[in-house]
Amino acid sequence: MGCKLSRALSRDQDLGKKEKDLNEPPAPPPPDPRLPLNARQKFNIAKSWKGISRALEPTGVYMFLELFENNSELLGFFNKFKQYRTRDEQAESLELAEHATIVMNSIDEGIKAMDNVDFFFDLLHQIGASHRKIPGFQKEYFWKIEQPFLEAVRLTLGDRYTDNMDNIYRITIKFLIETVIRGYELAEEREPNDNVKKDSNSTEGNSSKAAKGS
């Protein structure tokens, strides 16, 4: 009888375990090894970022206000609102709000693209490359947005911005900036080849004109 009871208890435990396994959500798949976040951190930022996605414009405006507060020299790169020198003027600027929203949409797209890392890299490399075309812009300037971004996210999330989330957001923004800078560098590396092609095309064009004229 004792053996029968033991087998019955064992069978009930196995059934209970199976039911529990069915009720529990599946473990998240391991993230791409190129990401600096583990599966739990990636899940947490995806969940937390929803609060930012609903407030992209005010978060972005505050981020730029913080940026210009300590880096007023960067205002010269923004022709649409570089005339606004005070924080109050900047806060009221529709042009600044529009640009802040564009930047936050890019960050939003980047964070959401971490499920597709190849697309993530392509997206942020393009953003970095586009800044190579801005006269006088240096890749080191990208780092100046790091702290303003963290301050803006902290303000938007309030009590939801825990020490754990602070650590995750720091890892994330560092990774985003590094990837954007890499895009800037790749564009910089391509420039000598692009110039050679232009010179070659120009030479060919002049030769063709000369041939026609002779």
Side-chain angles (χ1 to χ4, degrees), residues 75-211:
L75 261 173
F77 290 108
F78 301 92
N79 292 327
K80 289 184 177 181
F81 49 87
K82 64 182 180 181
Q83 69 274 22
Y84 302 126
R85 310 300 300 183
T86 70
R87 191 180 179 99
D88 287 343
E89 287 176 333
Q90 292 163 6
E92 295 297 323
S93 168
L94 295 178
E95 294 86 356
L96 187 148
E98 180 182 2
H99 184 77
T101 303
I102 291 172
V103 172
M104 287 302 295
N105 274 318
S106 296
I107 297 175
D108 178 68
E109 193 173 358
I111 288 178
K112 290 176 178 177
M114 285 195 290
D115 284 328
N116 183 347
V117 180
D118 288 328
F119 175 73
F120 170 89
F121 282 128
D122 287 344
L123 172 69
L124 295 185
H125 285 168
Q126 288 174 23
I127 293 172
S130 68
H131 284 74
R132 180 66 191 157
K133 301 173 184 176
I134 301 174
F137 189 90
Q138 300 176 30
K139 62 185 179 182
E140 291 78 15
Y141 293 156
F142 285 118
W143 288 111
K144 294 182 180 293
I145 203 67
E146 180 180 19
Q147 195 56 40
F149 169 82
L150 293 169
E151 287 297 320
V153 170
R154 179 190 60 78
L155 181 69
T156 298
L157 292 179
D159 293 340
R160 293 169 291 173
Y161 192 79
T162 62
D163 290 342
N164 180 49
M165 288 311 306
D166 175 69
N167 179 56
I168 295 173
Y169 273 108
R170 287 181 184 278
I171 294 171
T172 302
I173 189 61
K174 182 174 182 287
F175 182 54
L176 262 67
I177 292 173
E178 287 174 344
T179 306
V180 169
I181 288 176
R182 183 56 185 148
Y184 181 98
E185 291 171 342
L186 288 171
E188 191 175 29
E189 291 168 8
R190 285 194 298 267
E191 283 178 1
N193 292 330
D194 292 341
N195 290 334
V196 169
K197 289 178 182 177
K198 287 179 182 177
D199 291 341
S200 176
N201 291 337
S202 176
T203 301
E204 290 175 2
N206 291 333
S207 299
S208 177
K209 289 179 181 178

Side-chain angles (χ1 to χ4, degrees), residues 37-95:
L37 302 173
N38 61 37
R40 176 54 57 184
Q41 289 172 324
K42 185 169 171 289
F43 172 81
N44 284 341
I45 196 169
K47 184 178 179 182
S48 171
W49 188 253
K50 291 177 182 178
I52 303 298
S53 291
R54 292 191 288 267
L56 289 178
E57 182 179 313
T59 303
V61 168
Y62 186 81
M63 179 177 72
F64 272 93
L65 294 180
E66 289 292 296
L67 174 68
F68 295 139
E69 184 80 23
N70 298 307
N71 304 279
S72 58
E73 73 279 6
L74 297 182
L75 261 173
F77 290 108
F78 301 92
N79 292 327
K80 289 184 177 181
F81 49 87
K82 64 182 180 181
Q83 69 274 22
Y84 302 126
R85 310 300 300 183
T86 70
R87 191 180 179 99
D88 287 343
E89 287 176 333
Q90 292 163 6
E92 295 297 323
S93 168
L94 295 178
E95 294 86 356

